Amino acid sequence: IVSHSPFDGPTMPPGLHAHDFVLRDVSGRRVSLAAERGHVVVLTFIHSLCHDTCPFMVEQIKGALNLLPQSGRGVAAIGVSADPSEDTVAHRRAFLAKHDMTGRLAFLNGPEKVMRPIWHAYAIQPVTPRVDHSTFVILIDKRGLERIGFAADQLTPEGLAHDIRVLEREPA
């Protein structure tokens, strides 16, 4: 029996609950994943001083949002810092402005001791002097389940927008 997934991206194991977190955005506002229940969430881990994969992923997310009705207004786009010491408010604001994502992507950060369990829960390797960080975009459904995990090299605005649309049609 061949099962055909309605998704373009690679699906995650069924029933994988997204790890909740509460972090601060560039305005100092507390943002929690749990508060986004009922909405599809685009989650990624980015570094404000990155010059290759992070800008690419954010541009793909922006492209996907632009393809959705009302420019994806009902979709929560969240970027979590992969390097809390370098992702200062000024660096995060400059990154968002450069990619025209101010107000469209919540770029969150917190103290490293708060970030470590979040990275661990999503199997993210943070930035270290010897290692660049993991590069994934995860789609979380309205019920808070991780459903799709795009590696950066699989990411296209069309594929991401398609999978968001599929998740948007599902009940909360």
Side-chain angles (χ1 to χ4, degrees):
I1 297 171
V2 177
S3 72
H4 181 70
S5 169
F7 298 105
D8 283 356
T11 55
M12 305 290 264
L16 189 59
H17 287 271
H19 176 79
D20 190 28
F21 52 78
V22 179
L23 296 168
R24 295 199 181 269
D25 68 10
V26 295
S27 301
R29 188 175 61 93
R30 290 165 50 97
V31 175
S32 79
L33 196 56
E36 297 301 339
R37 287 281 156 72
H39 298 277
V40 174
V41 177
V42 179
L43 177 66
T44 192
F45 292 79
I46 51 179
H47 179 211
S48 61
L49 302 182
C50 173
H51 296 290
D52 45 50
T53 311
C54 297
F56 171 79
M57 290 190 307
V58 169
E59 288 293 331
Q60 301 305 297
I61 292 167
K62 178 172 72 178
L65 294 175
N66 289 345
L67 292 171
L68 295 169
Q70 299 177 316
S71 295
R73 228 173 254 116
V75 176
I78 297 174
V80 174
S81 172
D83 191 334
S85 64
E86 290 188 347
D87 288 334
T88 62
V89 169
H91 286 159
R92 287 183 286 149
R93 279 195 171 130
F95 181 92
L96 291 171
K98 180 177 181 179
H99 298 287
D100 197 26
M101 287 295 276
T102 303
R104 295 185 80 189
L105 178 86
F107 194 166
L108 310 180
N109 200 357
E112 190 165 330
K113 68 181 189 310
V114 173
M115 303 301 285
R116 283 198 178 286
I118 298 168
W119 296 329
H120 180 75
Y122 290 96
I124 298 298
Q125 169 67 50
V127 174
T128 67
R130 293 171 305 288
V131 180
D132 204 0
H133 66 94
S134 306
T135 53
F136 288 94
V137 173
I138 301 164
L139 290 182
I140 300 167
D141 72 14
K142 297 175 188 177
R143 296 168 306 162
L145 297 174
E146 293 181 45
R147 297 288 295 280
I148 312 297
F150 282 97
D153 63 358
Q154 300 170 310
L155 197 57
T156 66
E158 297 79 12
L160 193 55
H162 172 271
D163 288 358
I164 291 168
R165 282 191 208 99
V166 172
L167 292 175
E168 285 280 316
R169 289 192 293 268
E170 294 181 352

